[in-house]
Amino acid sequence: MKTSNLSKFNNAFYKPGRNAIIRSFWYLINLIFFRSCLITNSFIKKKLLKLFGAKIGANLVLKPNVNIKYPWNLEIGNNVWIGESVWLDSLNKITIDDNVCISQGAFLLCGSHDYKKESFDLITKPIYLEEGTWICAKAIVSPGVRCKSHSVLSLGSIATRDLEKYTIYQGNPAKPVRNRIINE
């Protein structure tokens, strides 16, 4: 079996969007204010995200222990709820429209690797959550996925392709199981 040499890994084309000093400072802020269970004030967290370049709407609720890779790649609308232990791996842009819920332990992963190349190149693609989307607890949204209006990715499911509007998805990979009907 051939072993890979770490020096052959190729991430030369990836640009994180900020210099190493700002990324290091963000790492500390993320650790103290976001990944901590001690700071629960969403107002403070919202101000810090904006300071680092995130675009944030009104009424954002950020629960404790949320991990955010790069806030400058985040655009979050109004009335968004992000639950405990959510990971926003924003190596690329993550857009979250209004009235979205991301439940506990969900992962939005913008990055992966090209396993077909010995250099294991980093691949990043944006994620888009349209209005009214619900990403349930422990669900995973893969790079490049668009969750269309009012779609639901159910508990522990993995979205590897776009989710159609007003549809509930389940499984690995997630498949449509029924329509979402909203009673008003």
Side-chain angles (χ1 to χ4, degrees), residues 129-130 133-135 140-141 145-149 151-154 158-170 174-176:
L129 305 183
E130 292 183 8
T133 297
W134 179 19
I135 306 301
I140 299 172
V141 179
V145 170
R146 183 180 196 103
C147 299
K148 296 180 183 173
S149 178
S151 60
V152 175
L153 182 62
S154 60
I158 301 175
T160 57
R161 299 175 197 256
D162 290 356
L163 306 184
E164 293 304 316
K165 63 184 181 177
Y166 289 94
T167 305
I168 300 170
Y169 287 79
Q170 188 174 41
K175 305 247 189 256

Side-chain angles (χ1 to χ4, degrees), residues 42-60:
S42 290
F43 178 79
I44 292 169
K45 293 175 185 180
K46 182 176 171 179
K47 291 293 184 189
L48 288 167
L49 287 171
K50 285 183 174 183
L51 180 68
F52 279 89
K55 294 180 179 111
I56 308 292
N59 303 317
L60 170 64

Side-chain angles (χ1 to χ4, degrees), residues 1-180:
M1 184 167 120
K2 185 177 181 182
T3 58
S4 293
N5 181 349
L6 290 178
S7 65
K8 291 183 180 181
F9 286 179
N10 182 10
N11 295 323
F13 297 109
Y14 179 70
K15 305 290 183 229
R18 299 292 188 271
N19 66 43
I21 294 169
I22 292 173
R23 290 193 317 269
S24 297
F25 191 52
W26 168 251
Y27 179 82
L28 291 173
I29 295 294
N30 188 39
L31 191 63
I32 295 166
F33 289 93
F34 293 86
R35 294 181 65 188
S36 168
C37 293
L38 301 175
I39 311 293
T40 59
N41 188 316
S42 290
F43 178 79
I44 292 169
K45 293 175 185 180
K46 182 176 171 179
K47 291 293 184 189
L48 288 167
L49 287 171
K50 285 183 174 183
L51 180 68
F52 279 89
K55 294 180 179 111
I56 308 292
N59 303 317
L60 170 64
V61 175
L62 269 167
K63 301 304 271 183
N65 202 30
V66 172
N67 188 12
I68 300 170
K69 184 69 171 188
Y70 296 140
W72 46 88
N73 287 336
L74 282 180
E75 187 171 332
I76 300 174
N78 300 315
N79 308 311
V80 171
W81 191 91
I82 299 175
E84 292 92 348
S85 301
V86 167
W87 183 7
L88 302 177
D89 187 36
S90 51
L91 291 168
N92 204 312
K93 185 163 179 128
I94 295 178
T95 304
I96 302 169
D97 279 350
D98 297 345
N99 307 308
V100 168
C101 178
I102 305 171
S103 292
Q104 297 86 343
F107 285 73
L108 275 61
L109 303 173
C110 289
S112 188
H113 294 276
D114 188 348
Y115 62 86
K116 295 177 183 176
K117 292 185 177 180
E118 187 176 353
S119 57
F120 205 53
D121 295 356
L122 179 66
I123 299 168
T124 69
K125 294 180 183 176
I127 290 174
Y128 198 113
L129 305 183
E130 292 183 8
E131 182 177 0
T133 297
W134 179 19
I135 306 301
C136 296
K138 300 289 185 179
I140 299 172
V141 179
S142 299
V145 170
R146 183 180 196 103
C147 299
K148 296 180 183 173
S149 178
H150 296 85
S151 60
V152 175
L153 182 62
S154 60
L155 176 71
S157 297
I158 301 175
T160 57
R161 299 175 197 256
D162 290 356
L163 306 184
E164 293 304 316
K165 63 184 181 177
Y166 289 94
T167 305
I168 300 170
Y169 287 79
Q170 188 174 41
N172 177 14
K175 305 247 189 256
V177 293
R178 64 184 148 286
N179 292 331
R180 180 181 184 187

